[in-house]
Amino acid sequence: MATLAFSTSSLFQPKILTRYTTTNPHLPSKTLISKTPKFESLNSDIIKQKTLISPAIRSTISDSLLTADPLTLKSRLKNGETLYGMFLLSFSPTLAEIAGLSGYDFVVVDMEHGPGGISEALACLHALAAARTPAIIRIPDTDPAWAKKALDLGPQGIMFPMIENQKMAKKAVSYCKFPPNGIRGSAHTVVRASDYGIDNGYLNNYEDELLIMCQVESEEGVKKIEEIAAVDGVDCVQMGPLDLSASMGYLWDPGHKKVKAMMRTAEKGVLKTTEKGGGGGAYLSGFAMPHDRPEDMRSRGYHMISGAVDIGMFRSACVEDVKKFKINSPKSDEEDKDDGNAEVSDEKYWSE
C-alpha cells in the first residue's frame, strides 16, 4: 500500500510527491524522494493500511523474511546468503502458491520450456506475490521484445538463456535498462512492475533491485564465461548442465566425467570474477542434479541453487503412488474377513 500526497484541484497538473512508502511483497519498503512530477490518486479513502499476517506454515522461515520490509534477492546475495528455489514449468498458480508457502527463496517461472506465455506467467506472479515469494522469469530467447514484456510484469529477476559471449551478455543487460543506459521500452507509468504507476520511486530503484541472470549452457559459453560474468549489470551466471552435456555429445549422460570437468572449469571461471573484489563479477547459480546435490553445489561456491521442477516432483509422486498400489497383491476373501477383526492401524489417512 502507499502513503501519498493528494490533490483534487486538477487532473492535468499533478503535484510533486515528496514521500512514498510501499509494503508491496515483491518490492522492499522504502522512503524515497521523488524528483519529477508524479501521477496521484484522487481519493485518499481508497488506500488503507493493512497488517500483513504471515501464513503459519512458514513459521520455520527466518523472521527477517516475513517482515513488511523483505530484502530483495539481490540484497540477500550481497549479504552472503545462499538461496534455494525451484522451477515452475506447469504454469499452475496453485502450484506456484504452494511453492511459495513451502518456503522456497525464489521460484523461476520458465517460459523457455514451460507451455505458458505472458498472461499465464502473470497469474503465477500473482500467486507468488500472495505467498510473499520472489519470482524470476526465464524468457524463451534473448530478445528485447520478450525481455520488455517479462519485465513489465514486475518479477524480481529475469533469466536469459544460451548466452555465449560478452556481446550477448551486454545486449541482455541493455534490454533491462531504460535509455540512456539501455533500450528497454518505457511504459512505467502503467505496468505492474511499478505498481501500475503508483510506485513513484520505481525509476530510481529498479536497476538496484532487478536481478539479471545470464545462462551459460554450451562449450562456447564456457570458453567465454569469465568475460560474461565480468559484464557490468550481470548479477548471476546460471549454469545449464543439460544443454551443456548435449553440446558435448552426452545428451543421455549429463553426469559424464567430461561434462563434470567442463562444469568445474565454468564454475571456477565465474568465481574468479567475484573473488577479484571491487564490486564486480557475478554470483554462481545452477540446477541440482541426481549426481550433484544442492549441498555439494553450495560447498563449491554456488549462491543460487534450484533443487526441483514442479512437473518433475509431481511426476515422481504420481509414479510412486501408482507403484505402491500395484505392487500390493489383491487380498483373498479370507484375508478380508481377518482384516475386519484386526486392530485399527496406526497409519493416518492420506489427507491428514
Side-chain angles (χ1 to χ4, degrees), residues 57-93:
I57 195 170
R58 301 191 70 188
S59 60
T60 57
I61 309 303
S62 170
D63 290 341
S64 65
L65 303 183
L66 300 177
T67 65
D69 186 14
L71 294 173
T72 62
L73 294 174
K74 203 166 178 176
S75 297
R76 293 178 66 190
L77 287 170
K78 288 179 179 179
N79 288 345
E81 292 188 53
T82 298
L83 308 179
Y84 187 64
M86 70 171 294
F87 270 60
L88 188 83
L89 266 72
S90 68
F91 279 77
S92 163

Side-chain angles (χ1 to χ4, degrees), residues 286-320:
F287 302 95
M289 302 284 286
H291 62 273
D292 197 8
R293 301 174 303 168
E295 50 268 38
D296 296 330
M297 295 173 69
R298 186 207 296 262
S299 69
R300 297 202 307 273
Y302 280 84
H303 277 82
M304 291 187 77
I305 301 169
S306 297
V309 178
D310 62 336
I311 289 176
M313 294 177 77
F314 185 63
R315 174 207 62 211
S316 298
C318 289
V319 170
E320 184 62 25

